[in-house]
Amino acid sequence: MIKGIINSTESFGSVDGPGVRYLFFMQGCRMRCRYCHNPETWNCSLQEDGLELTPEEAFEKAWRFKNYWKRNGGITVSGGEALLQMEFVTELFRIAKKHNVHTALDTSGEPFPEEEKDREQFDRLMEVTDLFILDLKEINDERHRALTGHSNKNILAMASYLSEHGKDMWIRHVLVPEVTDSEEDLKELGSFVSTLKSVKRFEILPYHSLGVPKYEKLGIPYTLEDTVTPSKSEIARAEELLGTNNYKGYLND
């Protein structure tokens, strides 16, 4: 029996996909992003306040809120890293599509297999996912490794693969002053995104330090202690370098 290990849920999400969303935050992530605001999701095991549900049970929890979704709402699965529980997410989305529910996957893409022969499970998930919300954290591979502990090569390959298959994407980039805001890298990231044919939105998420108390509670060192939230002018500069205004949104949300 397939079961998903879920850290938490949210009934009325409004930013992780179009419309009003029911959100599942899955447990487990391989990356260790220096600015991660959900370090409690890193561990792959069931946590004290977490949930272990079958896809059917998870869908029933979400379906109770269907009246709030209107025309363009639905279900978003986030994390942690949802691709680590790909079989569960695929089955949850398969059930959702039987009920004509819009499905969105919020992912950093790291588990995406580089070898095409290993993509059978991902292809099944792709078939039942309406929107991929992909976090592109850093275009330079060396700096990506320093920021997250992992290469970005398979992540960029996933973005290209989704584009080749015409899957709708929102691209997100967390702007961290003096970490992910170099002119060279922002231009290169914007250039890469411009090669993708199915991007509907490209947006900056300003760095914030709201997750710091979680690090203190978990006893995890926080390495960006002196980093501040980017100013409006810094965000505007990054948007210009990235070319985010070329992407106009999705489903009238």
Side-chain angles (χ1 to χ4, degrees), residues 4 65 81-82 100 131 138 145 169 206 216 230:
F65 294 86
E81 176 47 69
N100 296 314
L131 172 65
E138 170 59 56
R145 289 176 185 272
M169 279 184 278
E216 295 172 350

Side-chain angles (χ1 to χ4, degrees), residues 53-64:
L53 301 173
T54 66
E56 292 80 8
E57 290 169 337
F59 180 76
E60 286 303 317
K61 280 182 68 68
W63 187 239
R64 289 180 296 171

Side-chain angles (χ1 to χ4, degrees), residues 7-253:
N7 177 272
S8 59
T9 63
E10 184 179 330
S11 305
F12 298 101
S14 60
V15 296
D16 297 307
V20 175
R21 318 292 298 180
Y22 191 95
L23 304 177
F24 292 95
F25 295 93
M26 306 303 293
Q27 192 70 39
C29 186
R30 293 174 186 162
M31 294 209 287
R32 295 293 180 265
C33 302
R34 293 175 63 195
Y35 54 73
C36 178
H37 59 279
N38 289 324
E40 73 278 10
T41 66
W42 289 352
N43 193 307
C44 292
S45 61
L46 182 65
Q47 303 299 292
E48 183 177 350
D49 297 325
L51 299 167
E52 190 172 23
L53 301 173
T54 66
E56 292 80 8
E57 290 169 337
F59 180 76
E60 286 303 317
K61 280 182 68 68
W63 187 239
R64 289 180 296 171
F65 294 86
K66 62 182 178 182
N67 290 336
Y68 298 98
W69 298 343
K70 307 298 182 184
R71 182 178 59 84
N72 62 347
I75 294 173
T76 297
V77 178
S78 185
E81 176 47 69
L83 288 181
L84 291 177
Q85 301 189 60
M86 204 180 303
E87 190 176 6
F88 168 83
V89 181
T90 302
E91 183 60 18
L92 171 61
F93 282 3
R94 187 188 67 79
I95 297 169
K97 296 316 299 175
K98 283 187 174 181
H99 291 78
N100 296 314
V101 175
H102 184 274
T103 56
L105 181 70
D106 186 357
T107 175
S108 294
E110 190 281 322
F112 181 73
E114 290 193 69
E115 298 294 329
E116 285 194 35
K117 62 182 177 62
D118 299 324
R119 293 177 185 169
E120 184 177 345
Q121 178 64 61
F122 183 84
D123 287 347
R124 288 196 289 270
L125 172 60
M126 191 168 60
E127 289 177 4
V128 290
T129 305
D130 294 309
L131 172 65
F132 286 83
I133 304 171
L134 180 59
D135 295 325
L136 295 182
K137 301 174 186 299
E138 170 59 56
I139 193 69
N140 179 281
D141 190 54
E142 183 179 345
R143 285 189 277 276
H144 191 278
R145 289 176 185 272
L147 178 65
T148 71
H150 285 267
S151 170
N152 67 4
K153 290 182 180 178
N154 65 321
I155 297 168
L156 300 180
M158 176 177 162
S160 296
Y161 192 73
L162 293 172
S163 173
E164 291 165 9
H165 288 79
K167 299 302 296 188
D168 284 354
M169 279 184 278
W170 287 3
I171 302 294
R172 290 174 167 175
H173 176 69
V174 178
L175 189 69
V176 186
E178 299 183 9
V179 179
T180 66
D181 65 345
S182 82
E183 180 173 340
E184 177 186 4
D185 289 353
L186 290 173
K187 284 183 175 179
E188 187 177 348
L189 177 57
S191 178
F192 171 74
V193 172
S194 73
T195 69
L196 306 175
K197 297 174 287 189
S198 55
V199 176
K200 305 301 180 185
R201 176 180 291 188
F202 186 14
E203 60 186 342
I204 285 175
L205 301 182
Y207 163 82
H208 63 74
S209 58
L210 298 178
V212 172
K214 297 179 181 180
Y215 285 79
E216 295 172 350
K217 182 179 179 180
L218 294 168
I220 301 172
Y222 191 73
T223 63
L224 296 175
E225 201 167 7
D226 298 324
T227 303
V228 298
T229 299
S231 66
K232 289 183 179 180
S233 63
E234 288 173 319
I235 294 170
R237 165 188 171 270
E239 288 176 337
E240 184 175 353
L241 291 169
L242 290 169
T244 58
N245 290 332
N246 296 327
Y247 304 88
K248 302 300 183 183
Y250 182 68
L251 291 182
N252 301 316
D253 55 314

